[in-house]
Amino acid sequence: MVENFSGASTARLGARQWLAIGALGASFLVVAADSTIVYAAIPSIQRTLDLSTATVQWLMSAFLISFGGVLLLSSRLAELFGRRRLFTIGLALMTAASMLSAVAWAGEVLIGARVLQGIGAALIATTALPLLAIALGPGPARVRALGLWTLIGAFGGTAGLLLGGLLTDTVGWRWVFLVNVPVGIVAALLAPILPPDRCGGSGHPLDVAGGVSLVGALTLIGWTVVAAFAPGSSTGPALLRLAAAAVLLLLFLVIEARTGRRLVRPGLLRSRTRLGGLVVLFAAGTLIDAVLLLVTLYGQGALGLSATRFGALMVALTLSSVVGSYVGQVVVVRHGLRLVALTGMSVAGAGLLALAMVNGPLDTVDFLSVLPVVGAGAGAAFVAAQIAVTLGASDADSAAASGLSDASFSLGGALGLAAVSAVLVANQAELPVPMGAALPMAFTVTAGLAAIGLVAALLLMGQQRTPVPSQGT
């Protein structure tokens, strides 16, 4: 089967190569869109399944935590089992989880299905691009395909918001999940035509225990942040959860110190610039997902926007983040990483504070005026931080560095959702009752999260100038 791809370096692609591009590209588009497609449907899901505000954030946090946690494991899994096999497993898992999400009869069922979706999405995201590179081989065909890949990742989030709103308003929120099913089935049927890659372990066992302990710790921390502010909550259970999270984190460090194949090589985190980039990515993730949750709850609750209008409104955030990322990359070449990350986080934080300081209820004009500012700032900071994480990584460490950057952004999103949900719960802002004072407070907290990224950029990130090519968003 490999020889059928041997002509990939020529200008003309064969039918099998086009099928490979279609299967891999469609799968990656689903993963990119799934990072946002559920947001437009959240108020409808909340009403149908009778979910509290404290529970709603887990519809996204469950996906983000499992996605970010498994990303750290998936490169090693690909080495052991092969990328094509892992890609097929990811497709099957995500398709099955999407079907379960669509028929979910309770919040707990849907949240559990979202965990499985996140795991499947992580396996697809890790393997699809390397498989595309193998299928096309070196040459102009690969370059053009990689350019298309960047566009898919950049616009997937926007497509998810628009499609999620349209599906929710026309055929119902369950179709937000069902739309994944035909894509997954067709891509799985086409998977056998993908080129097989060499697999087999290097003698080191898979660090399942390390991955499970890390994901468990992050889940407990997110749960504690929200539950701590719930009406009638006590400090005892919160302290127990934090203690359990601390034990799991300690266990993760012990396992990593003793295993022959670490999830993260210690030397990767010794660079201040790389560490600063990870913190900036984490902060960018917190504010993007926090804003998406706040605007969908307030817009569809207090303002009475339809899911479709909400999706259209949020294009102002997602498209401006794409523009900000490309402009930020150009500026990095001339002025360095630190300046771009500092400016980006400052602009995003200022936009969030502007929303928090609006005198009176917010309306769509307020959002349309400020969201492009927030998106552009976050996009610029994102690309500078992503370059900082991958800059200088060896070939052996490049996959791990890329996984760390994606995991930091996803796990940051989970924390941002937990933080703003805690503010809403503390103010008993159960929709469709207008949020009142809870909304400006939540935007202030989100601006504070942006400040964490600003400080990290100032203290940790270097001022390197680099001609690194586009990283995408």
Side-chain angles (χ1 to χ4, degrees):
M1 191 174 296
V2 176
E3 59 269 21
N4 289 325
F5 289 87
S6 59
S9 60
T10 64
R12 180 174 296 178
L13 297 177
R16 295 177 68 85
Q17 292 154 344
W18 279 114
L19 288 173
I21 292 173
L24 294 168
S27 301
F28 183 59
L29 179 61
V30 166
V31 171
D34 265 18
S35 65
T36 57
I37 196 170
V38 177
Y39 278 107
I42 282 178
S44 295
I45 297 173
Q46 184 180 19
R47 290 190 296 268
T48 302
L49 301 182
D50 193 25
L51 303 180
S52 67
T53 301
T55 304
V56 158
Q57 62 95 16
W58 284 108
L59 298 178
M60 286 306 304
S61 292
F63 178 91
L64 292 170
I65 290 175
S66 61
F67 180 79
V70 173
L71 278 174
L72 301 178
L73 273 172
S74 53
S75 294
R76 176 62 176 152
L77 286 168
E79 291 178 13
L80 290 174
F81 302 112
R83 294 184 181 91
R84 188 176 72 177
R85 183 178 299 171
L86 203 64
F87 173 76
T88 307
I89 292 172
L91 280 173
L93 184 58
M94 191 169 186
T95 302
S98 297
M99 294 176 66
L100 180 58
S101 298
V103 300
W105 56 92
E108 295 81 3
V109 175
L110 181 54
I111 291 170
R114 292 287 286 163
V115 171
L116 297 177
Q117 265 194 320
I119 296 172
L123 300 182
I124 294 170
T126 304
T127 55
L129 183 56
L131 282 171
L132 181 67
I134 295 171
L136 297 181
R142 179 190 287 189
V143 173
R144 290 194 297 270
L146 294 182
L148 174 63
W149 203 261
T150 300
L151 289 176
I152 291 174
F155 291 100
T158 300
L161 287 167
L162 293 173
L163 183 60
L166 184 62
L167 289 173
T168 300
D169 281 341
T170 55
V171 290
W173 64 264
R174 296 183 187 276
W175 281 90
V176 166
F177 304 105
L178 282 175
V179 73
N180 294 340
V181 175
V183 177
I185 292 174
V186 172
L189 291 175
L190 291 174
I193 74 167
L194 298 174
D197 56 322
R198 298 289 181 265
C199 60
S202 57
H204 300 295
L206 178 62
D207 186 13
V208 175
V212 170
S213 60
L214 177 61
V215 174
L218 293 169
T219 302
L220 286 171
I221 292 171
W223 183 10
T224 302
V225 171
V226 176
F229 296 96
S233 63
S234 58
T235 57
L239 291 176
L240 286 175
R241 285 191 292 269
L242 287 177
V247 170
L248 288 174
L249 284 175
L250 180 61
L251 179 62
F252 170 72
L253 294 175
V254 171
I255 293 171
E256 288 293 285
R258 295 184 176 183
T259 186
R261 182 74 183 202
R262 297 177 175 88
L263 292 179
V264 180
R265 189 176 63 81
L268 271 178
L269 300 179
R270 289 176 186 159
S271 164
R272 288 182 58 187
T273 296
R274 182 171 292 119
L275 185 60
L278 289 173
V279 177
V280 172
L281 282 170
F282 189 88
T286 64
L287 68 91
I288 289 293
D289 282 282
V291 168
L292 285 169
L293 180 65
L294 287 173
V295 177
T296 190
L297 292 178
Y298 182 79
Q300 296 190 60
L303 297 182
L305 297 178
S306 66
T308 302
R309 290 182 64 190
F310 159 75
L313 173 65
M314 294 312 295
V315 170
L317 178 74
T318 56
L319 284 186
S320 63
S321 69
V322 174
V323 174
S325 69
Y326 282 99
V327 172
Q329 181 186 321
V330 173
V331 178
V332 161
V333 175
R334 296 185 177 183
H335 301 288
L337 299 170
R338 182 188 298 151
L339 178 64
V340 175
L342 276 173
T343 303
M345 296 307 295
S346 299
V347 168
L352 293 167
L353 284 176
L355 288 174
M357 297 173 64
V358 171
N359 187 18
L362 292 169
D363 55 29
T364 54
V365 175
D366 296 319
F367 289 128
L368 285 172
S369 300
V370 178
L371 288 179
V373 176
V374 175
F382 175 92
V383 77
Q386 195 177 53
I387 292 172
V389 174
T390 56
L391 188 64
S394 65
D395 291 341
D397 288 332
S398 59
S402 178
L404 276 173
S405 66
D406 291 341
S408 295
F409 187 78
S410 296
L411 297 175
L415 179 63
L417 293 171
V420 297
S421 296
V423 174
L424 299 181
V425 171
N427 287 270
Q428 301 183 17
E430 294 287 346
L431 294 178
V433 176
M435 292 185 184
L439 190 64
M441 188 181 300
F443 278 121
T444 301
V445 169
T446 308
L449 295 172
I452 295 173
L454 192 153
V455 172
L458 180 63
L459 299 180
L460 296 175
M461 288 182 67
Q463 191 62 13
Q464 290 99 326
R465 300 178 186 182
T466 172
V468 173
S470 176
Q471 303 293 316
T473 56

